Amino acid sequence: TSVSWSTACDRLPVAFANLAKMIKEEGETVDLYVPRKCSATKRLIPAEDHASVQLNMGTLIRMATTPASSQTFALCGFVGEMGESDAAINRLAVKAGLSEGL
């Protein structure tokens, strides 16, 4: 016999049922997967794209050990396969004001 996911969750204790349904104790639903978008191509990055990367680039103040602020960039595997990831990072950093043009 097959058991549906909701039926299986109903049989679990309350603490485990909340984990299985991804619901916080306050009753707020938590997403299992948050899709990202490539900063260079504006394509959605699927969960199966294991060649994708996410970078946090920070702006540093002179003599500081921690970044003053940071900008997050996500690149899909397609950009890396094309050999354009370094050019895309440079272009995005210049556009965000984190780097000077080369």
Side-chain angles (χ1 to χ4, degrees):
T1 63
S2 91
V3 177
S4 69
W5 180 254
S6 61
T7 306
C9 289
D10 291 340
R11 294 181 187 167
L12 295 172
V14 174
F16 293 120
N18 285 343
L19 289 175
K21 292 181 181 179
M22 296 302 290
I23 299 174
K24 290 184 179 180
E25 292 176 357
E26 297 85 26
E28 181 182 344
T29 304
V30 179
D31 291 330
L32 294 175
Y33 172 71
V34 179
R36 294 179 297 160
K37 214 172 184 184
C38 179
S39 300
T41 63
K42 306 299 184 213
R43 291 180 176 196
L44 282 177
I45 300 175
E48 297 85 22
D49 189 355
H50 298 292
S52 63
V53 294
Q54 183 168 326
L55 304 169
N56 292 325
M57 293 183 71
T59 56
L60 295 175
I61 300 173
R62 185 175 291 234
M63 303 300 288
T65 57
T66 58
S69 64
S70 65
Q71 179 78 28
T72 303
F73 300 115
L75 296 176
C76 61
F78 172 75
V79 176
E81 289 173 7
M82 296 290 291
E84 293 292 324
S85 56
D86 55 342
I89 292 169
N90 286 336
R91 192 169 45 253
L92 291 168
V94 168
K95 187 175 178 181
L98 299 174
S99 175
E100 297 175 359
L102 299 176

